[in-house]
Amino acid sequence: MVDYHRVVITGAGAVSPYGAGVDTLVENLLNNVGAVQFIQELKDTPFINSFVACKVPEIDFTFIPRQYRRYMTKMSLYAVMACQEALKNASIEKPSDDTALYIGSTMSSISSWLEFTKKYFDKELNMVKTMAVFQVLNHSPLANVAQALDMKGPGYFVSNACASSLTNIGLAYQMIKAGFIKRALCGGTEEYHPIFTGCFSILNAASTNFNDNPQKASRPFDKDRCGIVCSEGCAMLYIESLESALERKANILAEIKGFATNTETKNIAHPSRDSMQQCIQMALNDAKLKTTDINLVNAHATSTVAGDIEEVSAIGNVFGKDIKVNSLKGHIGHSMAACGSMELISIMKMMLKNKVAGTLNLDNIDEQCNVVNHIRSTQEIKINNFVKNSFALGGTNASIVIGRYN
């Protein structure tokens, strides 16, 4: 009989389109502040027909010593700041040598790659600086965080598109649960580039109908939704075994009760409610919870026409029409690899406040999405357990179950 360990969350850190800090993120979400803005560079780029995105405001990163900072692009800067907040939140002065690091992004810095390849095509590779090589590595954020925080433990960089951060959290949870490690920093990071919006424009999945009204552009489950609004940022959790947390008298924020991931194989570009439904049910089985034990589902819900219908149908099939559902992408857009951890942290903090933000811009629910109990405004709700979904382009699904610590 395997003696599994309970896994708890004792720290959280975030850099979001609202700025630095978890409290800043949650406060703005609860106050229904939208972060979507008009981006002139998008309008000036031929063949991109979506001119909106969410970007992190200017932040002073000079607190990171230059010897580390010069190797970092924005995604690494965001990650170091979020990790430091998570550690401080967990009352950890310095990560122990056995602390694992699980972090991911969709890809390395596009800006850095474009500069690198320009030197190549201009036949000026001799002009490329050493630090540029480290900025284009796929696992650049992992390496940079480890260097800046002197983390000597295991390091894993899992890149599963929009499911990256939730997958990294889930894998860290499984390793602690099985006893292979005792503690970990885990999550995802992303830095925005117009090419992200360009990719979704090519797929006819970028928001295009609200270029003149950016705050209305991201509208999950709404009948007038027309696509994704790309975003950026980073969110990281400090998680550990219950024994470790109790031993050091840590403040326990929540418990990770279950996790599951699977892969959609019917269509690489089109989501499937069957696959999503299976993933959610597997996470519930891992948590050993019934559907009636879940008080809220925080949906991935990217504001695409097909994706929202498939996901909410899967949620309805598992939980029934009375389950409360919300999405935070109407507020902060789709931060790609960071969205799972950023939204998980947000709902976890809301759970502790007994107050939950509704889905912004859900003015008229699409008839095909009206199969659950949508939260459309900030409400006082007692949550004991919630499910967080991340369903990625390319077929990677992830669902995690978070509960109050008892």
Side-chain angles (χ1 to χ4, degrees), residues 252-328:
I252 297 174
L253 301 172
E255 181 174 0
I256 302 177
K257 295 188 173 183
F259 170 75
T261 181
N262 67 356
T263 306
E264 163 61 49
T265 58
K266 293 179 182 177
N267 190 312
I268 196 170
H270 196 284
S272 158
R273 68 187 68 181
D274 294 337
S275 182
M276 293 174 176
Q277 181 176 334
Q278 181 189 46
C279 186
I280 296 169
Q281 189 61 61
M282 288 164 57
L284 288 175
N285 293 345
D286 183 49
K288 295 180 172 58
L289 293 177
K290 304 185 295 293
T291 56
T292 52
D293 294 322
I294 304 300
N295 309 113
L296 174 77
V297 175
N298 177 243
H300 184 61
T302 61
S303 192
T304 58
V305 176
D308 287 7
I309 292 172
E310 292 299 309
E311 181 181 7
V312 79
S313 298
I315 294 170
N317 288 343
V318 174
F319 296 101
K321 62 182 177 59
D322 293 328
I323 185 68
K324 293 180 175 66
V325 174
N326 74 343
S327 170
L328 300 179

Side-chain angles (χ1 to χ4, degrees), residues 84 93 174:
Q84 286 191 340
E93 289 189 14
Q174 290 177 331

